[in-house]
Amino acid sequence: MYDVAIIGCGVVGAATAYALSRYDMKVVVLEAENDVAEGATKANSAILHAGFDPEPNTSMARLNVDGIALAKQICDRLDVPYKICGSLVLALSPEELPHLQHLYDNGIANGVPDIHLLSAEETLQREPNLSKTVQGALWAPSAGIISPWEYALAMIEVAVRNGVELRRSCPVSNIRKKDGVFSVSIPSDTVEAKYVINAAGVYSDKIHNMICKPSFHIIPTRGEYYVLDKNEGELVHSTIFQCPSKVGKGVLVSPTVDGNLIVGPNAEEVGPEDRGCTAAGLSFIAETARRSVPGFSLGDSIRNFAGVRANVDTGDFIIGEAPDVENFIDLAGIKSPGLSSSAAIALEVIKIFQKKRVLPEKKKDYKDGRKKIHFKQLSAEEKAKLVHEHPEYGRVICRCETVTEGEILNAIHSDVPARTIDGVKRRCNAGMGRCQGGFCGPRVLEILCRELHIDPLQVLQDRDGSYVLESETKQGGKHHV
Amino acid sequence: MYDLVVIGGGPAGLAAAYQAYQHGLRNILILERDKELGGILNQCIHNGFGLHRFGEQLTGPEYAGRFIKMLNDTNVQVSLDTMVLDVTPDKKVHCVSKKEGYRIIDAKSVILCMGCRERTRGAIGIPGTRPAGIYTAGTAQRYANIEGYMVGKRVLILGSGDIGLIMARRMTLEGAKVLACVELMPYSSGLTRNIVQCLQDFNIPLYLSHTITDIQGNGRVEKVIVAKVGPDRKPIPGTEMEFDCDTILLSVGLIPENELTRQAGIEMDPHTKGAVVYENMETSIPGVFASGNVVQVHDLVDFVSGESELAGASAAEYVEKGEPESGRVLNLQVGDGVGYTVPQRVRMGNVDKNVTVSFRVRRIYGTSSIVVKSGDTVVARFKRERMTPGEMEHITLPRVLLEKAPQDTLTVQAEEAQKS
């Protein structure tokens, strides 16, 4: 019997697991996919929003501003790449200027630090590659960029190291409650827990409805993106927004923590699994983004992707115990700024447990913190020393991103080990560069086989069913030996 | 201190190192990322290599083997499984390997021979989901020919580059069904001989002026939608065809691999995406040369070898005699219908008899001329029966003609013959 079962291991589930792992309780995290951070967490704008978008007095407003402050602390502690680069919301016509004022007022009410309005000249001084049609901008220096999957991974890794149990490939099919104990059905097993936390992203309404009365409806909303080569990464140095529309924060152009440029998203209501890009969507974001940053080259695109965010018909995050089912806690409808808010959302769970007076003592032997080796970022002397001590860092596997065998081994043998080629990619960047794994993919596959003692035909690219190799050739896999 | 460090042990690096040795350099080091020399040739087990150079049809490994054998009789040193991380303008080469650790190697001259890489799905923005089963042709080739695995059994090929065409035949011979080869342009970007030998001989349809408009599938590719495109290369609604397949191979172009070049601060050419080079393959940093696909993507390895021999000989000359006398410098510019030129600059003081210029045209030309102009003056004119973007063009400009150029710029352009 577990104290808590968390359903879903996106950034919200991971943050919650991390927060709870400090306390002396038995926690299990049930993730439907074969790896963590596979939903909206891995496919979003990767922005730490300053917090002027949400209307004052919403959960979103409060948790965004608190969440970004917490995120910075956690990233420092857990060695997660982030950068406080600031953000600009542009007014591209005189009619949009009042909107900047509205956002400014929101920001002041929400407690966003140091925001101010810039004239057109000041804006262009800050970012010379913006459209000359810019009329002014809202500057928010506290906004930043982050590696979203690394953020989630770091938190769940530390949670697992401290005793939280993570079960992947465990979609929940049913929830029952009897005598104050939940029975959560997963493939060929049932998990019993005193508390259930619903952090199921685009499926959070379905999970809620398994045991509670329907009270909200998730509207999965797709956003499509371009990721451009690092050649383009210097085009802007802060996150460039346009004035938001009814459906979202509009199309942005931003540097990423890896030095690329990201362009997107649009917003389109779709099914929860509709993660495909469309020609119309891609050309829409490119055209729209060019209104603010005209000069980027789509010829330097290295990847497109689409993420489905968990928009919700209630307008605000849904955080709290379900009114009709005691001890069932929803963390639902976590749309944007969910990534920025996630750490604060997790603390809401702690507060709920405190209020219910069920929070146990903190663990005495808690091991916080995390340190990763990023070979590429070391100085020549540090590289030399590292390779001297650990020769496996002397073999570069991913040439685009300069990722070494040592880093790949770390990914495969981490607290939440990589089991797929994309799992390795998310943990150490191999395959993230402009050849997109064309070169290192076969080598990563070879290392996975060697380390996990599996056959090449069993290796997956990413999700279940995403096999890489179909069969041996007529001469078989060993003809070259 | 090495006389010469060659970065890359593929066909370019092998030929460059050997030629530098032939020209008297004795202290030469090749740094190769992979566990053996030969580069991508090792996975090219089909034949057709070496017709120009050796007058016979070799496989990729055989072609590489010839050069490796020649090098065996020299004292050229080789470090395998060694990745170069940085080349500095003062010719220090930072590299790392499991065996030898982190090294900073001083060189009197450097030749950059890093080759190229394949364009991917992201580079051309193909819509649809992102399942497994989408590979560049070269990755599929590596799996089949080096690792011994097939990436799929029902295959659609996008793009008609040579590696894609070769893989259409290879996959068919291995028992896969290649449903079609789909090319956006109204012409193939591959060699004519490969269209015939790899598609036509196996009844694989080639759809010119078509493209993929959607990819479906969650875990693995399940279905691909292909549509005809108009002259604007946009899909024409109503022309869609469905293909049930598990695999897409991309053969949509190669990009020179110039991370090190850029980091070193070497001047780049936006047309070739490679270094700007002089007549002797020297880059904007004296004593640093570049050759092979890192400079321009070649059709035939034979031409890579030729270009690299020039770089090797030039590096030897640089080490022996220092920087050549520059004299007047001519800048080559691309004119109508021409995509790029290599070299981009010619130092007259370093031109003996003539300069060979390579380039590609941007569309198909019938009976036509290549015209080299300086201002309004025609410096040279070369007749051609046919030119296509899929086949590299070469012209040889005699020194005597270059001397007559009234201006310091030369424009290379393609002209359709006047219809009479």
Side-chain angles (χ1 to χ4, degrees):
Chain A
M1 163 93 87
Y2 294 95
D3 294 307
V4 183
I6 300 170
I7 300 172
C9 199
V11 71
V12 173
T16 306
Y18 176 53
L20 290 178
S21 69
R22 292 177 183 280
Y23 296 91
D24 196 11
M25 57 206 314
K26 214 171 160 227
V27 178
V28 64
V29 184
L30 304 171
E31 168 54 50
E33 299 278 353
N34 63 5
D35 202 0
V36 305
E38 278 277 0
T41 299
K42 79 167 180 191
N44 60 76
S45 308
I47 303 298
L48 293 173
H49 293 282
F52 48 74
D53 289 289
E55 292 300 320
N57 304 318
T58 58
S59 297
M60 289 195 297
R62 179 170 56 87
L63 297 171
N64 183 348
V65 175
D66 293 352
I68 188 170
L70 288 167
K72 291 175 203 174
Q73 293 168 17
I74 293 172
C75 289
D76 286 336
R77 201 154 62 223
L78 305 191
D79 201 8
V80 176
Y82 78 104
K83 191 179 169 198
I84 300 305
C85 58
S87 71
L88 287 167
V89 186
L90 308 183
L92 291 166
S93 67
E95 295 78 54
E96 288 182 339
L97 283 169
H99 199 92
L100 294 188
Q101 184 64 46
H102 173 72
L103 292 177
Y104 176 83
D105 295 341
N106 271 5
I108 295 296
N110 295 347
V112 180
D114 303 328
I115 48 172
H116 46 275
L117 292 164
L118 303 182
S119 69
E121 293 72 36
E122 290 168 324
T123 310
L124 285 168
Q125 222 165 20
R126 191 170 273 289
E127 292 287 358
N129 291 320
L130 297 182
S131 164
K132 300 296 175 271
T133 62
V134 68
Q135 303 289 310
L138 174 65
W139 169 240
S142 62
I145 50 180
I146 188 171
S147 169
W149 51 83
E150 184 71 42
Y151 186 37
L153 264 163
M155 292 191 285
I156 191 66
E157 276 182 20
V158 175
V160 165
R161 195 208 300 151
N162 286 287
V164 168
E165 197 179 321
L166 170 67
R167 298 178 69 168
R168 292 183 262 182
S169 299
C170 283
V172 169
S173 55
N174 202 0
I175 305 172
R176 288 285 165 266
K177 192 179 180 191
K178 200 180 161 194
D179 303 331
V181 174
F182 291 97
S183 296
V184 182
S185 306
I186 54 173
S188 61
D189 201 1
T190 299
V191 169
E192 297 197 323
K194 291 181 209 153
Y195 301 90
V196 168
I197 296 174
N198 171 18
V202 288
Y203 293 105
S204 53
D205 53 351
K206 298 199 172 52
I207 295 292
H208 175 94
N209 296 348
M210 283 178 186
I211 184 132
C212 309
K213 262 196 271 172
S215 60
F216 62 91
H217 179 58
I218 297 294
I219 306 157
T221 305
R222 176 170 66 193
E224 298 169 58
Y225 294 87
Y226 282 96
V227 180
L228 306 189
D229 193 280
K230 292 176 182 180
N231 294 342
E232 299 282 308
E234 292 285 308
L235 207 58
V236 292
H237 299 95
S238 45
T239 302
I240 310 300
F241 295 102
Q242 297 173 2
C243 280
S245 65
K246 272 169 251 136
V247 283
K249 296 188 181 66
V251 174
L252 62 80
V253 179
S254 177
T256 72
V257 285
D258 292 311
N260 301 85
L261 194 76
I262 189 169
V263 178
N266 52 351
E268 196 184 347
E269 288 177 21
V270 292
E273 291 298 316
D274 289 342
R275 305 198 261 192
C277 291
T278 63
L282 290 174
S283 70
F284 169 80
I285 55 173
E287 277 169 36
T288 311
R290 284 227 160 84
R291 290 182 57 225
S292 44
V293 184
F296 62 85
S297 155
L298 283 188
D300 282 305
S301 168
I302 61 169
R303 192 169 178 87
N304 308 111
F305 67 87
V308 181
R309 38 199 193 264
N311 281 2
V312 66
D313 57 357
T314 60
D316 199 357
F317 294 158
I318 296 159
I319 295 169
E321 196 168 4
D324 53 336
V325 179
E326 201 187 357
N327 299 342
F328 183 94
I329 298 163
D330 282 311
L331 306 177
I334 311 297
K335 52 181 189 164
S336 179
L339 174 64
S340 315
S341 309
S342 51
I345 292 170
L347 291 192
E348 293 293 292
V349 175
I350 301 291
K351 282 183 204 157
I352 291 168
F353 282 139
Q354 269 167 344
K355 221 169 161 183
K356 294 170 75 79
R357 298 176 183 281
V358 293
L359 197 67
E361 293 289 301
K362 282 194 176 175
K363 287 174 188 157
K364 294 209 166 51
D365 53 351
Y366 191 75
K367 289 191 282 294
D368 204 356
R370 195 183 72 133
K371 198 70 203 152
K372 279 188 84 172
I373 290 172
H374 303 279
F375 180 80
K376 189 183 183 176
Q377 292 165 13
L378 302 176
S379 69
E381 294 74 30
E382 290 167 330
K383 282 176 184 157
K385 186 165 176 279
L386 180 66
V387 176
H388 181 71
E389 287 164 4
H390 305 283
E392 63 273 22
Y393 293 98
R395 189 166 170 233
V396 175
I397 302 291
C398 166
R399 56 180 174 168
C400 299
E401 296 287 315
T402 322
V403 180
T404 61
E405 185 165 6
E407 291 159 276
I408 291 169
L409 293 174
N410 291 344
I412 297 173
H413 299 295
S414 67
D415 287 302
V416 179
R419 290 283 176 263
T420 63
I421 290 182
D422 282 0
V424 169
K425 173 169 87 168
R426 282 188 291 275
R427 284 162 182 79
C428 67
N429 268 19
M432 201 75 88
R434 69 177 69 116
C435 88
Q436 288 287 299
F439 173 80
C440 64
R443 287 156 175 87
V444 171
L445 180 134
E446 194 183 314
I447 297 171
L448 278 167
C449 290
R450 187 186 75 207
E451 296 298 313
L452 302 177
H453 310 290
I454 55 174
D455 187 87
L457 296 177
Q458 293 174 273
V459 175
L460 295 179
Q461 181 72 42
D462 192 14
R463 306 174 79 185
D464 291 329
S466 65
Y467 62 94
V468 175
L469 302 173
E470 197 261 333
S471 61
E472 290 191 3
T473 54
K474 289 173 182 169
Q475 295 291 313
K478 300 294 174 203
H479 63 89
H480 61 292
V481 176
Chain B
M1 166 89 69
Y2 283 90
D3 289 334
L4 169 63
V5 171
V6 178
I7 301 174
L14 294 172
Y18 184 68
Q19 201 64 14
Y21 180 85
Q22 289 297 312
H23 280 72
L25 293 192
R26 285 296 172 268
N27 202 3
I28 302 173
L29 173 66
I30 300 176
L31 299 172
E32 165 57 38
R33 202 170 21 72
D34 221 323
K35 287 177 175 165
E36 56 267 318
L37 291 172
I40 293 299
L41 284 174
N42 290 329
Q43 67 185 51
C44 300
I45 61 171
H46 53 283
N47 72 352
F49 297 93
L51 267 175
H52 290 251
R53 168 147 302 254
F54 298 112
E56 55 183 310
Q57 299 225 29
L58 305 172
T59 65
E62 283 170 341
Y63 186 94
R66 297 254 169 137
F67 279 87
I68 294 168
K69 203 167 164 215
M70 291 192 282
L71 276 174
N72 281 342
D73 299 330
T74 71
N75 67 346
V76 170
Q77 296 170 49
V78 177
S79 285
L80 297 173
D81 216 356
T82 300
M83 180 81 181
V84 175
L85 300 175
D86 206 6
V87 179
T88 64
D90 56 347
K91 299 193 273 289
K92 289 185 194 305
V93 179
H94 293 242
C95 62
V96 68
S97 77
K98 221 167 164 165
K99 214 166 100 193
E100 296 179 90
Y102 194 99
R103 286 186 290 166
I104 301 172
I105 298 165
D106 280 303
K108 291 182 190 162
S109 67
V110 173
I111 307 183
L112 305 171
C113 299
M114 292 88 74
C116 57
R117 64 178 117 197
E118 297 175 280
R119 294 219 296 164
T120 64
R121 177 181 181 184
I124 52 174
I126 307 171
T129 55
R130 281 169 311 287
I134 305 167
Y135 303 87
T136 62
T139 303
Q141 186 178 53
R142 184 190 162 92
Y143 275 127
N145 295 351
I146 303 236
E147 317 287 347
Y149 288 95
M150 290 286 282
V151 295
K153 53 179 184 244
R154 288 179 65 82
V155 184
L156 187 88
I157 298 178
L158 179 66
S160 57
D162 288 310
I163 320 170
L165 300 174
I166 297 280
M167 281 309 289
R169 176 175 64 187
R170 179 82 180 106
M171 298 287 280
T172 306
L173 293 174
E174 281 293 341
K177 174 77 183 162
V178 179
L179 304 169
C181 179
V182 173
E183 168 61 56
L184 178 69
M185 304 303 284
Y187 50 83
S188 164
S189 59
L191 295 171
T192 308
R193 75 173 194 216
N194 283 334
I195 299 283
V196 174
Q197 293 170 7
C198 301
L199 295 185
Q200 290 173 9
D201 287 359
F202 294 90
N203 292 319
I204 297 167
L206 169 62
Y207 294 101
L208 296 173
S209 297
H210 279 70
T211 195
I212 291 178
T213 57
D214 195 16
I215 296 172
Q216 296 167 18
N218 262 323
R220 181 80 186 196
V221 173
E222 287 163 20
K223 191 180 276 186
V224 176
I225 312 294
V226 168
K228 196 171 166 50
V229 299
D232 59 355
R233 294 180 214 160
K234 297 255 161 62
I236 301 169
T239 62
E240 290 85 2
M241 296 183 277
E242 273 189 25
F243 291 89
D244 287 318
C245 58
D246 54 31
T247 304
I248 300 169
L249 296 191
L250 301 176
S251 186
V252 293
L254 300 165
I255 310 168
E257 166 68 59
N258 276 292
E259 205 66 34
L260 294 171
T261 321
R262 220 173 276 117
Q263 276 168 19
I266 289 169
E267 186 186 347
M268 303 288 292
D269 179 350
H271 301 294
T272 57
K273 313 264 185 215
V276 169
V277 290
Y278 288 103
E279 70 296 325
N280 64 347
M281 305 311 293
E282 192 168 11
T283 69
S284 62
I285 296 182
V288 178
F289 301 78
S291 70
N293 284 355
V294 75
V295 173
Q296 57 175 333
V297 176
H298 295 67
D299 308 325
L300 298 177
V301 70
D302 310 59
F303 297 150
V304 168
S305 301
E307 185 179 286
S308 302
E309 284 165 351
L310 172 59
S314 304
E317 198 166 316
Y318 173 86
V319 172
E320 300 297 325
K321 299 183 194 154
E323 192 63 356
E325 222 168 281
S326 155
R328 184 181 173 204
V329 179
L330 298 176
N331 288 299
L332 272 65
Q333 292 185 339
V334 297
D336 286 350
V338 169
Y340 71 85
T341 71
V342 166
Q344 291 87 345
R345 287 194 195 133
V346 175
R347 293 172 292 202
M348 291 298 286
N350 200 32
V351 176
D352 204 10
K353 288 201 187 78
N354 48 47
V355 174
T356 299
V357 177
S358 345
F359 62 92
R360 282 176 198 274
V361 288
R362 299 169 72 96
R363 61 177 176 88
I364 290 182
Y365 285 84
T367 309
S368 53
S369 299
I370 301 158
V371 183
V372 182
K373 280 181 169 176
S374 179
D376 291 333
T377 309
V378 174
V379 174
R381 181 183 284 274
F382 304 85
K383 290 234 175 344
R384 288 288 188 274
E385 288 302 313
R386 180 182 156 84
M387 295 191 285
T388 87
E391 308 208 0
M392 191 192 277
E393 293 292 329
H394 305 273
I395 53 173
T396 300
L397 297 170
R399 182 187 166 93
V400 283
L401 289 184
L402 294 178
E403 279 169 350
K404 288 183 190 152
Q407 296 180 11
D408 287 345
T409 55
L410 290 180
T411 305
V412 181
Q413 64 190 59
E415 282 181 12
E416 203 87 60
Q418 301 282 332
K419 289 203 177 83
S420 52

